[in-house]
């Protein structure tokens, strides 16, 4: 193994070489001096490099401290550090771990800031409706402020934007749902409609990608407004057609099974806009179908209009007849025939006019109904009064004949009813007067003023009462005469029927019925055979021994 080379061995080798060369001492000293200078230069350069390295270490340490200070400030950290003790390398090694930790925190914080700012930019772009794709690289992060406070502010702003996005998305979905419902009712293409607003709205799979800009929401609102207007117009048109159909059905007396074929239309006549939600019920083809049906029925109505006019006239006459109002049917029909044959009148207008007359007649009949009901009650009472009058004059009414018990019950009820007649007539007269005062026309009953009939009836009642009083007085005189004759001759004369009693009665269970007759003034009154009794009184003189049995005596007998 060779011995290591040293400066001394090299110098010895140099001395040997010089000896062999024969160098002089001066040359040798000169060369040695150069060698010393070269060595000095080498040492000096080495020291300079070492000094520079030390300065670099100091600078690195200072830079690390400055970077740590910046990171601490940017991150908002409150940690403190010190160089510690030891050599420069030891200090740098100690501070490097702190620096790496802060750099890692900074990098992580930058990622968080970048992610949040990217979401903020993306949502803001969606709200603004820019339609530009946002790249996460484009998100600029301010590295001088990476504090937790700033991060919290960004997160709060992001939450606000997310909430606004959710609200807008919900609003868009609600608008789309409303448009879909309206599209189903109106039978229009939903996807084409919303695609015209924004292409993203027709994508049902990617819900989050739908446009939520102000412009999109405003356009959706406008579409809804237009569709609602269209729905309103179509409903009004269909309701008008439905009402026309119903009127034509009533006019033409269309069978119910034929009417049921368009129940889906007529059921909408009284519906409001919000109540209409049936699929396709307001489609254009439905409206066109109804228009064709109405046109067809109008054509059919024109061919039957004359028949309908006379049917309306008959209905009008029946209404007047039902409430005992005067109407000249023949003259009215002759006028209608003349109008129709002349061709100068629109039959539809004529029908409409007759419908108005029918409505007016019904209204007038309602105003007379209460009075007419009381008239019927009075007529029934007067009829029972006449029957009872004839019944009580029948001497065989208590016989065991067939139906006698029924007549007894009827007579009992008749007496109760007759006892109420005065108040019924009085109340009826008051109501008729009130009606005439309100209408300012007389209340006619079969062409005769009802008040005249009632007054005539009242007068006849008074005459009958007077006649009964006179019969009772005559009976008293005859009984007195009979008593005197019995006292003179010792026997009682036979008693004959008084003239004030009818000679024609039903002995088995007859029910005489009062009849109507016309007075010289043309008034209709209730008559129960009074004229017959008066004629008997006129043509047959009263015998002196005539005795009239009162009703009470006949009943007790």
């Amino acid at each position: 193994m060779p011995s290591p080379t040293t400066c001394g061995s090299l110098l010895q080798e140099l001395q040997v070489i010089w000896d062999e060369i024969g160098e002089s001492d001066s040359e040798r000293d000169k060369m040695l001096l150069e060698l010393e200078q070269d060595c000095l230069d080498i040492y000096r350069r080495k020291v300079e490099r070492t000094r520079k390295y030390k300065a670099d270490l100091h600078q690195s340490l200072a830079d690390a401290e400055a970077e740590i200070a910046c990171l601490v400030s940017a991150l908002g950290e409150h940690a403190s550090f010190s160089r510690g003790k030891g050599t420069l390398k030891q200090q740098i090694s100690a501070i490097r771990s702190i620096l790496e930790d802060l750099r890692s925190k900074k990098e992580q914080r930058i990622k968080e800031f970048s992610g949040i700012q990217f979401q903020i930019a993306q949502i803001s772009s969606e709200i603004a409706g820019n339609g530009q794709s946002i790249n996460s690289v484009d998100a600029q992060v301010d590295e001088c402020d990476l504090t937790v406070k700033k991060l919290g502010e960004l997160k709060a702003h992001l939450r606000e934007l997310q909430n606004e996005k959710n609200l807008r998305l919900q609003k868009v979905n609600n608008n789309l749902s409303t448009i879909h419902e309206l599209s189903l009712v109106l039978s229009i293409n939903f996807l084409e409609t919303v695609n015209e607003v924004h292409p993203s709205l027709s994508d049902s799979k990617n819900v989050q990608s739908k446009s939520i800009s102000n412009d999109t929401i405003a356009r959706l609102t406008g579409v809804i407004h237009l569709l609602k207007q269209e729905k309103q117009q179509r409903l009004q048109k269909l309701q008008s057609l439905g009402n026309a159909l119903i009127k034509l059905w009533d006019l033409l007396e269309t069978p119910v099974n034929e009417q049921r074929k368009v129940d889906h239309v007529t059921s909408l006549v009284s519906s409001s806009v919000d109540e209409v939600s049936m699929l396709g019920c307001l489609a254009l083809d439905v409206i066109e179908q109804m228009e064709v049906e109405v046109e067809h029925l109008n054509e059919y109505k024109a061919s039957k209009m004359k028949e309908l006019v006379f049917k309306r006239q008959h209905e009008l006459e029946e209404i007047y007849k039902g409430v005992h109002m005067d109407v000249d049917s023949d003259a009215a029909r002759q006028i209608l025939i003349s109008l129709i044959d002349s061709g100068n009148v629109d039959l539809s207008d004529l029908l409409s006019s007759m419908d108005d007359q029918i409505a007016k007649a019904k209204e007038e009949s309602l105003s007379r109904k209460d009075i007419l009901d009381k008239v019927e009650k009075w007529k029934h009472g007067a009829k029972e009064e006449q029957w009872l009058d004839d019944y009580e004059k029948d001497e065989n009414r208590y016989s065991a004949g067939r139906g006698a018990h029924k007549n007894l019950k009827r007579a009992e009820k008749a007496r109760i009813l007759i006892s109420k007649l005065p108040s019924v007539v009085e109340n009826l007269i008051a109501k008729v007067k009130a009606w005439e005062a309100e209408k300012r026309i007389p209340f006619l009953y079969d062409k005769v003023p009802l008040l005249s009939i009632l007054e005539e009836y009242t007068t006849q009642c008074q005459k009958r009462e007077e006649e009964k009083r006179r019969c009772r007085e005559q009976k008293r005189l005859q009984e007195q005469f009979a008593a005197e004759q019995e006292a003179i001759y010792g026997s009682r004369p036979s008693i004959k029927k008084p003239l004030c009693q009818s000679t024609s009665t039903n002995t088995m269970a007859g029910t005489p019925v009062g009849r109507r007759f016309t007075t010289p003034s043309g008034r209709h009154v209730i008559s129960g055979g009074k004229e017959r009794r008066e004629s008997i009184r006129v043509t047959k003189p009263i015998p002196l021994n005539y005795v009239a049995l009162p009703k009470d005596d006949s009943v007790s007998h």
Side-chain angles (χ1 to χ4, degrees):
M1 181 177 179
S3 58
T5 302
T6 62
C7 289
S9 62
L10 291 174
L11 185 57
Q12 288 178 1
E13 185 178 356
L14 185 59
Q15 288 292 344
V16 173
I17 295 171
W18 281 342
D19 289 339
E20 292 177 354
I21 296 173
E23 286 287 346
S24 61
D25 290 338
S26 61
E27 286 295 328
R28 291 184 180 188
D29 291 337
K30 183 179 178 179
M31 293 181 67
L32 289 173
L33 184 61
E34 289 177 356
L35 286 174
E36 288 179 359
Q37 188 64 39
D38 289 339
C39 289
L40 183 61
D41 291 339
I42 290 172
Y43 277 108
R44 185 179 291 111
R45 286 195 299 272
K46 188 66 175 177
V47 169
E48 288 296 329
R49 283 198 298 270
T50 304
R51 186 180 293 112
K52 185 176 181 305
Y53 177 62
K54 176 184 176 183
D56 290 341
L57 290 177
H58 277 290
Q59 185 62 42
S60 298
L61 187 61
D63 291 343
E65 289 177 344
E67 185 178 355
I68 288 174
C70 289
L71 290 174
V72 168
S73 175
L75 297 173
E77 298 287 339
H78 299 288
S80 59
F81 70 96
S82 61
R83 293 186 179 183
K85 298 179 180 180
T87 63
L88 289 175
K89 288 186 176 180
Q90 290 175 342
Q91 293 179 15
I92 290 174
S93 177
I95 206 172
R96 184 174 296 164
S97 61
I98 298 174
L99 183 61
E100 291 296 329
D101 183 53
L102 291 175
R103 284 175 178 173
S104 177
K105 286 186 178 181
K106 177 182 178 181
E107 185 178 354
Q108 185 66 29
R109 194 70 60 81
I110 287 175
K111 289 181 179 179
E112 291 184 21
F113 271 81
S114 178
I116 293 174
Q117 288 181 347
F118 169 71
Q119 295 182 59
I120 290 175
Q122 188 177 29
I123 295 176
S124 299
S125 176
E126 292 176 2
I127 293 175
N130 295 330
Q132 300 177 355
S133 59
I134 305 297
N135 194 338
S136 59
V137 179
D138 298 335
Q140 298 295 328
V141 180
D142 183 11
E143 297 185 5
C144 295
D145 189 0
L146 300 175
T147 61
V148 176
K149 180 181 179 182
K150 181 66 175 179
L151 183 63
E153 291 175 355
L154 288 177
K155 287 182 177 179
H157 183 47
L158 177 61
R159 284 194 296 270
E160 291 177 359
L161 289 176
Q162 288 174 338
N163 290 334
E164 184 177 356
K165 178 181 178 179
N166 291 334
L167 291 175
R168 286 172 173 264
L169 192 60
Q170 183 179 0
K171 191 171 184 178
V172 168
N173 289 331
N174 290 338
N175 288 341
L176 291 176
S177 177
T178 303
I179 293 175
H180 185 259
E181 292 175 359
L182 291 171
S183 300
L184 292 178
V185 174
L186 300 173
S187 289
I188 61 176
N189 194 306
F190 168 72
L191 293 180
E192 289 182 1
T193 303
V194 298
N195 193 58
E196 292 177 359
V197 176
H198 198 278
S200 65
L201 301 178
S202 58
D203 186 5
S204 59
K205 296 181 178 179
N206 194 354
V207 179
Q208 295 296 327
S209 66
K210 291 178 180 177
S211 175
I212 57 173
S213 64
N214 290 331
D215 179 64
T216 299
I217 294 175
R219 294 182 68 183
L220 285 175
T221 305
V223 170
I224 291 174
H225 179 67
L226 291 176
L227 291 179
K228 285 185 175 180
Q229 281 187 334
E230 180 69 16
K231 181 181 179 182
Q232 176 73 33
Q233 292 173 359
R234 291 191 186 184
L235 179 61
Q236 289 177 350
K237 190 169 186 179
L238 207 56
Q239 286 177 338
S240 175
L241 292 171
N243 286 321
L245 273 178
I246 293 173
K247 290 180 179 178
L248 288 170
W249 287 339
D250 292 339
L251 284 174
L252 303 174
E253 297 181 352
T254 305
V256 177
N257 57 347
E258 291 292 330
Q259 299 180 20
R260 287 176 180 170
K261 294 180 181 179
V262 289
D263 277 347
H264 60 287
V265 175
T266 55
S267 62
L268 301 177
V269 169
S270 59
S271 300
S272 64
V273 177
D274 298 332
E275 293 173 346
V276 177
S277 60
M278 189 167 57
L279 180 64
C281 63
L282 297 180
L284 288 176
D285 55 348
V286 175
I287 297 176
E288 292 174 359
Q289 179 184 356
M290 291 302 101
E291 289 176 341
V292 171
E293 182 67 19
V294 170
E295 183 179 357
H296 169 70
L297 290 178
N298 278 325
E299 293 175 355
Y300 182 60
K301 183 188 75 171
S303 64
K304 292 193 66 177
M305 191 63 71
K306 189 172 182 179
E307 178 184 344
L308 293 174
V309 168
F310 286 109
K311 189 174 290 186
R312 287 290 185 276
Q313 177 62 25
H314 176 71
E315 182 180 352
L316 185 62
E317 292 171 1
E318 288 298 318
I319 293 173
Y320 283 130
K321 183 179 178 181
V323 292
H324 299 273
M325 292 176 66
D326 182 24
V327 58
D328 192 347
S329 302
D330 295 334
R333 288 178 179 272
Q334 190 61 41
I335 292 173
L336 288 175
I337 293 173
S338 301
L339 286 174
I340 294 173
D341 292 341
S342 67
N344 296 327
V345 64
D346 187 356
L347 294 181
S348 298
D349 294 339
L350 181 59
L351 270 181
S352 178
S353 174
M354 296 190 71
D355 287 336
D356 294 338
Q357 293 180 37
I358 290 173
K360 185 177 180 181
K362 288 180 178 179
E363 182 180 354
E364 190 170 355
S365 68
L366 286 176
S367 71
R368 296 168 61 92
K369 185 177 182 303
D370 185 35
I371 294 176
L372 291 176
D373 290 342
K374 293 188 179 300
V375 168
E376 292 301 319
K377 184 177 180 181
W378 163 64
K379 286 173 62 179
H380 175 67
K383 178 181 175 181
E384 290 299 296
E385 183 181 23
Q386 181 61 42
W387 177 87
L388 183 62
D389 190 26
D390 293 338
Y391 173 74
E392 289 181 342
K393 294 173 184 177
D394 182 8
E395 295 178 352
N396 299 320
R397 62 182 179 277
Y398 294 113
S399 64
R402 186 177 176 185
H405 65 288
K406 292 183 179 179
N407 286 336
L408 286 172
K409 290 183 179 179
R410 180 178 176 181
E412 186 65 27
K413 292 180 180 178
R415 291 188 186 95
I416 297 173
L417 181 62
I418 293 168
S419 66
K420 299 178 181 178
L421 275 183
S423 62
V424 171
V425 173
E426 182 181 357
N427 188 20
L428 183 56
I429 291 175
K431 284 187 174 293
V432 172
K433 288 182 177 179
W435 188 92
E436 290 182 346
E438 179 184 353
K439 303 292 183 179
R440 296 182 179 179
I441 56 174
F443 190 103
L444 299 180
Y445 186 89
D446 292 338
K447 303 181 182 180
V448 181
L450 182 57
L451 277 180
S452 300
I453 298 175
L454 294 173
E455 290 171 357
E456 184 72 20
Y457 171 78
T458 304
T459 303
Q460 287 188 0
C461 287
Q462 292 173 355
K463 289 181 179 180
R464 284 200 300 271
E465 290 299 323
E466 181 64 25
E467 182 182 355
K468 289 178 182 180
R469 187 193 63 77
R470 187 170 52 80
C471 287
R472 287 195 298 269
E473 181 64 22
Q474 186 180 22
K475 176 193 171 185
R476 186 184 64 79
L477 293 175
Q478 289 178 348
E479 286 179 348
Q480 182 180 354
F481 174 76
E484 292 175 355
Q485 291 294 319
E486 183 179 1
I488 296 172
Y489 301 104
S491 63
R492 188 179 183 90
S494 60
I495 299 175
K496 297 182 180 180
K497 293 173 60 177
L499 288 180
C500 58
Q501 292 184 354
S502 174
T503 58
S504 60
T505 55
N506 186 349
T507 60
M508 291 303 295
T511 55
V513 179
R515 59 188 179 277
R516 183 182 302 276
F517 76 101
T518 305
T519 63
S521 61
R523 298 174 182 172
H524 294 279
V525 296
I526 307 299
S527 173
K530 177 182 176 184
E531 291 77 10
R532 184 172 68 254
R533 294 195 303 272
E534 289 179 350
S535 64
I536 293 172
R537 274 201 309 274
V538 171
T539 57
K540 186 176 181 179
I542 302 174
L544 293 177
N545 60 349
Y546 182 83
V547 178
L549 293 176
K551 293 180 180 179
D552 295 340
D553 292 345
S554 62
V555 172
S556 62
H557 177 72

